[in-house]
Amino acid sequence: MPLTAFRILFRKDTDAMRFGPLARLLDAIQGEISTESAELRSSGERMTDCAAFSFEAMENGENPGRMSSKIDNLSRQLAFNRGRQALLERQMSFLERTRAELARIFHSHRK
């Protein structure tokens, strides 16, 4: 184990030991975000289909008040869904920037 100019013990794997847990945590968080995003996409598709069928039913004369209320509710849920997806995209972007910075840290000591 070489000593640095300041007489501090330095091992080649120090950075990996220090930042490895962070990298694993980022992996776990990325997996959670990916799962939630996929579930939101699927849910959004189902809500869009349901809204389309409800609109069609309303146009065909089926209880316009109830269908209108259902469509309004679906619209609110879709807006929330889109907002949440946008937030997840920002979170994923943060993770990608953090990973890039970690890669620079690891790469700088390999030279």
Side-chain angles (χ1 to χ4, degrees):
M1 288 184 210
L3 294 176
T4 66
F6 299 107
R7 303 264 181 213
I8 298 172
L9 199 55
F10 176 75
R11 294 176 13 188
K12 288 183 178 183
D13 62 348
T14 298
D15 293 334
M17 289 173 47
R18 183 175 295 139
F19 290 105
L22 177 58
R24 288 188 294 280
L25 180 60
L26 293 175
D27 287 341
I29 292 170
Q30 183 176 359
E32 291 173 11
I33 291 171
S34 294
T35 298
E36 182 180 356
S37 183
E39 289 172 359
L40 284 171
R41 273 192 305 278
S42 177
S43 175
E45 290 169 0
R46 287 191 308 272
M47 284 188 279
T48 300
D49 291 346
C50 187
F53 288 125
S54 296
F55 187 74
E56 184 178 342
M58 187 173 72
E59 284 183 334
N60 291 334
E62 185 179 319
N63 195 342
R66 186 169 83 65
M67 288 295 116
S68 178
S69 175
K70 185 174 184 176
I71 292 169
D72 288 344
N73 186 35
L74 286 167
S75 294
R76 282 190 300 278
Q77 290 176 3
L78 278 167
F80 173 79
N81 186 308
R82 287 187 192 109
R84 183 65 186 164
Q85 285 178 337
L87 178 61
L88 292 176
E89 287 173 16
R90 286 194 304 274
Q91 291 175 6
M92 193 63 82
S93 176
F94 169 78
L95 289 176
E96 289 167 1
R97 290 189 316 271
T98 304
R99 284 180 177 286
E101 192 60 34
L102 275 177
R104 280 190 282 277
I105 289 170
F106 288 130
H107 184 71
S108 68
H109 288 291
R110 291 185 183 145
K111 290 182 178 182

